[in-house]
Amino acid sequence: MASLPDPTATLTGAGRAIYEDILARRQAKGVDHLGPYIPLLNHPQLARLIEQLGYFYKYDSALPRDAYQLVVLILAARSGVTFVWDDHVAAARAAGLPEAVIDAVKTAGGAPSAPLPAPFDTVAGLADAAFAFRSIPEALQAQAISRFGVTGLLELVTLCGFYTMMGMVNACFDVPLPHRKES
């Protein structure tokens, strides 16, 4: 197991302040765990910057929550990083992502063979291009701009990159899922 130590008990000075800020920001939004931020806190300045970007995507971006969660689930299914899937599937449902879309993504390993309903077809098409490091077809880009604006298009593409990084952190350092109470 390639995990890194949990440094939170030994952080001091600026590192301690960064940890407390990350913890407070997440708790204020009802998030009950630090997940990949635990290994990242072995480099507090990097953890701070990554968490700020993640916070933006999760809470301040222009994207509809269902589109955001679809990108995350596509990455999870494509990569096989179960932490990401397990940590986001309930949030995807709560955001209104249809169960049929969730099932199609999971069953197809992140690349549904049948077209998804709008606007999820656009999100999945952008994710396909981004995860394959391909240019976005012109018609798909126009459709994305029509549905989400240029801002949303940029957020969708860069969100693919962000969750690729987070998937790598979770997988490379064997980040465990939080223990949650059964409801």
Side-chain angles (χ1 to χ4, degrees):
M1 195 170 219
S3 62
L4 287 175
D6 178 345
T8 57
T10 59
L11 289 169
T12 60
R16 171 55 87 197
I18 290 168
Y19 162 63
E20 289 175 358
D21 181 58
I22 290 171
L23 187 63
R25 286 164 48 95
R26 295 177 65 77
Q27 287 176 337
K29 294 294 186 177
V31 177
D32 62 352
H33 66 93
L34 291 179
Y37 296 104
I38 295 293
L40 286 170
L41 279 161
N42 282 280
H43 187 328
Q45 296 84 355
L46 182 61
R48 177 180 55 83
L49 293 169
I50 291 171
E51 189 276 337
Q52 287 173 344
L53 184 56
Y55 188 95
F56 167 79
Y57 283 125
K58 195 167 190 172
Y59 303 111
D60 295 333
S61 79
L63 292 175
R65 294 299 81 198
D66 55 359
Y68 164 89
Q69 291 296 342
L70 178 56
V71 167
V72 176
L73 292 184
I74 289 171
L75 172 275
R78 282 177 173 249
S79 67
V81 179
T82 57
F83 179 104
V84 176
W85 183 275
D86 292 345
D87 195 43
H88 282 267
V89 71
R93 288 181 178 115
L97 192 62
E99 199 65 36
V101 172
I102 294 170
D103 289 343
V105 169
K106 185 174 186 177
T107 302
S113 54
L116 298 176
F120 308 116
D121 57 341
T122 303
V123 174
L126 290 171
D128 283 345
F131 290 132
F133 295 86
R134 288 190 330 260
S135 178
I136 299 167
E138 210 171 303
L140 178 60
Q141 181 168 304
Q143 184 179 48
I145 291 170
S146 174
R147 289 185 174 159
F148 304 107
V150 172
T151 299
L153 168 67
L154 287 166
E155 288 179 7
L156 283 164
V157 170
T158 59
L159 182 63
C160 291
F162 179 79
Y163 266 95
T164 297
M165 175 181 61
M166 296 309 283
M168 288 177 177
V169 170
N170 282 296
C172 290
F173 300 116
D174 297 311
V175 176
L177 282 167
H179 298 289
R180 293 194 168 115
K181 296 176 186 172
E182 295 295 321
S183 47

